[in-house]
Amino acid sequence: MAFGSVGEQRAAPGIVPWHVDKTYLKVRGRWCYLYRAIDRNGDLVDTELSEHRDMVAA
């Protein structure tokens, strides 16, 4: 799965830059937020599925 360019980011040595991608989807008839942490190479780092919009938890 390919993702759009994150843009040029600088990070300390050994730390890979990443961003959070959020989408709204229906799971078993209920709307949920899917948060995905994506690194600069487009690889999935972490995910969270939540019924509530909560960026702190993501």
Side-chain angles (χ1 to χ4, degrees):
M1 184 179 282
F3 295 95
S5 175
V6 177
E8 190 62 35
Q9 298 179 354
R10 294 181 183 247
I15 298 175
V16 178
W18 57 276
H19 74 278
V20 175
D21 176 54
K22 177 183 72 175
T23 190
Y24 198 55
L25 51 93
K26 195 177 256 190
V27 177
R28 296 186 181 175
R30 300 184 72 156
W31 286 100
C32 299
Y33 289 94
L34 175 64
Y35 296 97
R36 300 179 293 184
I38 310 294
D39 70 7
R40 72 171 172 206
N41 298 321
D43 298 323
L44 185 64
V45 177
D46 195 11
T47 62
E48 179 181 343
L49 186 63
S50 174
E51 287 189 45
H52 306 283
R53 186 176 179 193
D54 186 7
M55 286 300 291
V56 175

